[in-house]
Amino acid sequence: MRVLYPALLTIALMVTCATAAQAHSLEEVDQGLRDKEKYFQAVDVEAPAFTLQDAAGRTVRLSDLRGKVVVLNFVYANCPDVCPLHAERIAELQGMINQTPMKAMVEFVTITTDPKHDTDTVLREYGPAHGLDPVNWIFLTATQNQPEDSTRKIAESYGLKFTESEEGMQMHGIVTHVIDQNGRLRARFHGLKFEPVNLVVFVNALTNRTQKPHGHPEPGLWESLKGLIR
């Protein structure tokens, strides 16, 4: 069944996201994930603001992304272990979301916590090396007038600490943050063991949250997808 998983998932996402009647409310999905996804943490606070730049030197502010759901993570390119795995997980999530109409509604943002070593060239090469699509993914670093530890402080404001060792490595955890269209942090998915479909379902609920909850017994996106991968 695992061999068929990507194809079945893509079909389910495309069909369900295209059918507004199938979309569950954010509240319904939130409760479902609280019950079934142990690596999910519901949040509802203003997302810490940031002003950074991409590999081309263009300034990017969190406020520039208002109107889109933002999937945010922190890595550094020289990380020898979990950061590459996290990047590949983000690419997996992006691939799933970009098979649906959500592609135009979601922006993936990665922030480096090592601006000193993650040069423009490193930033440009990182995405292709990990299968990330620049159509709705950006890799950000500190601006020239910001201190070296500025992005680590941004990570800390999101509840994630990167502690630099004498060898230049950084000790840190893994969290994927989801920010809604109004700039509010709405969820954290901890580690790498969460089911990717659960994050996609949560993002779908945010993109469809103008829909009113319904009372009919037909399965929505979350149930449909979970049913396919049992």
Side-chain angles (χ1 to χ4, degrees):
M1 187 63 182
R2 296 294 295 179
V3 175
L4 296 177
Y5 172 78
L8 289 172
L9 181 58
T10 298
I11 293 169
L13 285 170
M14 292 180 72
V15 171
T16 310
C17 293
T19 308
Q22 292 289 324
H24 271 191
S25 71
L26 178 61
E27 292 75 17
E28 290 172 309
V29 170
D30 185 290
Q31 187 57 54
L33 292 180
R34 288 172 191 260
D35 295 340
K36 297 177 174 66
E37 175 56 79
K38 66 180 179 179
Y39 300 106
F40 167 76
Q41 177 190 4
V43 191
D44 189 6
V45 297
E46 190 73 19
F50 56 76
T51 300
L52 299 169
Q53 68 179 32
D54 64 11
R58 291 184 292 257
T59 299
V60 177
R61 301 174 181 83
L62 178 60
S63 58
D64 296 336
L65 304 176
R66 288 289 177 96
K68 290 193 174 186
V69 174
V70 175
V71 178
L72 170 69
N73 73 311
F74 296 86
V75 302
Y76 67 104
N78 198 36
C79 176
D81 41 47
V82 293
C83 289
L85 297 176
H86 197 186
E88 289 164 13
R89 173 51 57 88
I90 296 297
E92 180 184 6
L93 294 165
Q94 184 188 36
M96 293 161 64
I97 284 174
N98 285 6
Q99 291 295 317
T100 78
M102 289 186 287
K103 179 178 181 179
M105 309 174 201
V106 181
E107 186 75 23
F108 292 84
V109 177
T110 298
I111 297 176
T112 176
T113 57
D114 189 12
K116 181 178 179 180
H117 296 103
D118 289 349
T119 63
D120 295 345
T121 299
V122 172
L123 296 179
R124 281 192 293 269
E125 294 176 352
Y126 195 84
H130 296 283
L132 290 151
D133 187 345
V135 69
N136 60 344
W137 174 79
I138 47 175
F139 199 0
L140 301 179
T141 187
T143 64
Q144 291 184 349
N145 61 350
Q146 291 173 325
E148 183 185 330
D149 65 348
S150 58
T151 55
R152 291 197 293 277
K153 288 183 177 179
I154 293 171
E156 193 166 350
S157 72
Y158 277 85
L160 185 60
K161 193 162 187 178
F162 283 72
T163 304
E164 191 171 20
S165 69
E166 293 180 0
E167 296 77 22
M169 298 294 102
Q170 297 180 22
M171 303 296 293
H172 63 94
I174 292 289
V175 181
T176 306
H177 311 268
V178 182
I179 301 168
D180 72 13
Q181 299 95 322
N182 297 318
R184 294 190 67 80
L185 179 61
R186 301 306 299 263
R188 296 185 179 101
F189 286 79
H190 294 269
L192 296 172
K193 293 184 178 179
F194 65 86
E195 284 286 349
V197 66
N198 288 336
L199 187 145
V200 175
V201 166
F202 188 81
V203 169
N204 182 68
L206 287 174
T207 62
N208 285 293
R209 61 184 176 159
T210 55
Q211 307 268 344
K212 294 182 179 180
H214 51 75
H216 62 71
E218 295 179 29
L221 176 57
W222 195 90
E223 290 83 358
S224 300
L225 295 175
K226 298 300 276 189
L228 283 171
I229 61 176
R230 283 196 183 107

